[in-house]
Amino acid sequence: MLASLLDHLPTCMDRACRGCVVRQPPGSSVCGPACVATVVGVSLETAVVAVGTRGATSARLLATALARYGYHLGRAQCAPYGVLPPSRPGVVAHLLRLNWGRPRPTHWALLRDGHVLDPAHGVDPHLQPGRSWPPRPRVISSYPITRDGEGGT
């Protein structure tokens, strides 16, 4: 089932690669583990084991999983609606908590090199500059991800 997903990340973690994202199966709730897999460069199955669940995830669970691979999840940062966090030295990516205003409002995605990498949609057009795709998700918060010892919290 999950093993059949796109699992080419180890060859795709080059910083020049902007469209590399581990996708979650349609209708699943593994967006958090998929973000971990994308950052770390492991399979979705491996990330699910590291996170400890196939269901809804918290920032704390994702931080623990990232720490197992030598990454640090910084404190949540809030920004005005529609404003994405700027790139900073030492920050590998930003973990984004998104809200579409549905009964299950939150969804995890990544911002890396100015591109939103969404496990449900790939390189997500919703948040790209100059695009208007209804419904437009709202960034609730972002968490900087750094390699341990490289700052950027």
Side-chain angles (χ1 to χ4, degrees), residues 30-43:
V30 292
C31 53
C35 288
V36 170
T38 299
V39 169
V40 174
V42 298
S43 70

Side-chain angles (χ1 to χ4, degrees), residues 1-6 23-25 28 30 44-45 48 54:
M1 165 169 84
L2 291 176
S4 65
L5 291 174
L6 182 61
R23 300 290 298 272
Q24 69 184 85
S28 72
V30 292
L44 182 55
E45 275 294 324
V48 166
R54 292 183 187 277

Side-chain angles (χ1 to χ4, degrees), residues 81-101:
Y81 177 78
V83 176
L84 296 174
S87 293
R88 292 192 328 222
V91 174
V92 175
H94 287 270
L95 181 66
L96 303 177
R97 180 174 283 191
L98 305 176
N99 181 316
W100 273 275

